Amino acid sequence: MPVERLLPSQEAHDLIALTRDVADKVLRPKVDAHEKSETFPDGVFPALGRAGLLSLPYPEEFGGGGQPYEVYLQVLEELAARWAAVAVATSVHSLSCFALATHGTTEQQAKWLPDMLSGNTIGAYSLSEPQAGSDAAALTCKATAVDGGFRINGSKAWITNGGRADFYTLFARTSDDGPRGISCFLVDSATEGLSFGKPEEKMGLRAVPTTSAHYDDAFVDAERLIGQTGQGLPIAFSALDSGRLGIAAVAVGLAQGALDDAVAYAKERKAFGKRIIDHQGLGFLVADMAAAVDSARATYLDAARRRDAGLPYSRQASVAKLIATDAAMKVTTDAVQVFGGYGYTQDFPVERYMREAKITQIFEGTNQIQRLVIARSLAG
Ligand SMILES: Cc1cc2nc3c(=O)[nH]c(=O)nc-3n(C[C@H](O)[C@H](O)[C@H](O)COP(=O)(O)OP(=O)(O)OC[C@H]3O[C@@H](n4cnc5c(N)ncnc54)[C@H](O)[C@@H]3O)c2cc1C
């Protein structure tokens, strides 16, 4: 049964209806084949771009949808319920537009944002390195100032959309000044000296590649520096506050998909002469799943509404990411339980939901790091 959503406008209701239509017609028929063959779904992102779903939270003047964050996140949730890999790639694309949209000059924005927001160009966000994940300030990929721009040398890791994206929001070190020595660049995929590793063999999200990137004396023009030199880490972290909410919404979508499938199955499957949902032990399990999904949704909506109102929301974003992704892990695991032995096979999507849920507890700040953010904010 579709989720009944409280939305701020009729336009938002129309957007959710459009998203469900695209998700059912474009995503659902392709998900199983692409996840199995680990192949990128070529036509999907252009279709999302044409529907205006790749740019929802960004300003209309650059071709964005001008929607409140609470609406954008619920769109992501709907996508994730059909295909988490596509929802994650959409969220990462949005994350990769953040630096330019918030810290670019008017000239930089006019030059690149319209193509990024229309989905003509797809983005990736490149912060992590092989030895610097949670501890992002330890990154070592180097950008050396030269005549007219920067020479980049070093390796980045774990890039969602890696090798497929048209631009990379790259964070690299411009000085040895610790966290203040990092800068942000918008790198074109065709840059000479930039190459990609082979896609990681992952537990889930298999249709969208995750790769390393290697910079070998790659020249990046000075006009591609976003913000000031040394400002990279604050830009990266404020992008992640927004991105974490995207991951929370993806997690809720996954959990909702698993819950819907579990309820439908529990109403069909019989044991000991009655529907399994009518056995209290199983009925209560499903009730707990529903409570977890609803409460997880409430946490990300609370954070999004604070963001939309211009209030600080960093702590609430970490709470949402923590609560929603832990809920997704539990709910998807319990959905497998509801299906019994069949849940452990690839005949039903619940095993995929469970594999997909695990990564939401890890990327865009592990849940240990979310607790760190929350504790620090409480400690002042
Ligand atoms: C599929 C996938 C897609 C990804 N996509 C992107 C992307 O698009 N762009 C990008 O930049 N990165 C991406 N990442 C990287 C991801 O954000 C990192 O993997 C994550 O931040 C954790 O870093 P790490 O793997 O180096 O683990 P580590 O930082 O080495 O952590 C290992 C363990 O130690 C724990 N830990 C570390 N520090 C602390 C601490 N202070 N207190 C308590 N526990 C701690 C962690 O929680 C974790 O459990 C992706 C990763 C994956 C797997």
Side-chain angles (χ1 to χ4, degrees), residues 113-306:
L113 257 189
D115 271 343
M116 290 158 71
L117 296 182
S118 65
N120 280 344
T121 55
I122 292 296
Y125 177 88
S126 190
L127 176 65
S128 301
E129 295 186 0
Q131 305 304 324
S134 303
D135 186 7
L139 68 81
T140 58
C141 179
K142 206 159 184 173
T144 310
V146 294
D147 201 16
F150 296 83
R151 288 269 169 207
I152 318 267
N153 283 287
S155 290
K156 305 300 283 186
W158 303 116
I159 306 165
T160 299
N161 295 339
R164 278 279 170 180
D166 302 289
F167 66 91
Y168 292 81
T169 297
L170 168 73
F171 298 90
R173 185 162 287 289
T174 41
S175 85
D176 292 333
D177 192 11
R180 284 178 294 278
I182 294 168
S183 304
C184 176
F185 301 89
L186 190 70
V187 177
D188 192 298
S189 61
T191 301
E192 211 174 303
L194 167 60
S195 61
F196 299 94
K198 75 174 181 52
E200 303 292 343
E201 293 176 11
K202 304 192 297 278
M203 185 188 288
L205 306 185
R206 292 175 175 164
V208 167
T210 308
T211 71
S212 54
H214 308 286
Y215 290 85
D216 183 10
D217 235 14
F219 177 74
V220 172
D221 199 284
E223 70 167 348
R224 288 180 170 277
L225 171 71
I226 308 297
Q228 307 295 313
T229 52
Q231 215 187 350
L233 212 55
I235 295 176
F237 286 165
S238 64
L240 282 175
D241 279 345
S242 295
R244 274 166 194 164
L245 287 177
I247 299 307
V250 168
V252 172
L254 271 174
Q256 183 70 54
L259 171 68
D260 289 346
D261 286 3
V263 169
Y265 187 80
K267 282 161 50 176
E268 286 284 322
R269 178 78 175 173
K270 293 208 170 75
F272 300 96
K274 55 183 178 183
R275 305 182 311 170
I276 57 173
I277 199 165
D278 295 326
H279 291 287
Q280 193 182 66
L282 204 285
F284 278 14
L285 182 70
V286 176
D288 282 346
M289 290 164 69
V293 173
D294 286 358
S295 51
R297 181 177 296 114
T299 61
Y300 87 63
L301 285 176
D302 173 58
R305 286 170 184 153
R306 289 180 65 88

Side-chain angles (χ1 to χ4, degrees), residues 5 24 39 74 84 86 130 167 200 346 375:
R5 298 185 183 280
D24 286 337
T39 50
Q74 294 189 74
V86 168
F167 66 91
E200 303 292 343
Q346 295 189 359

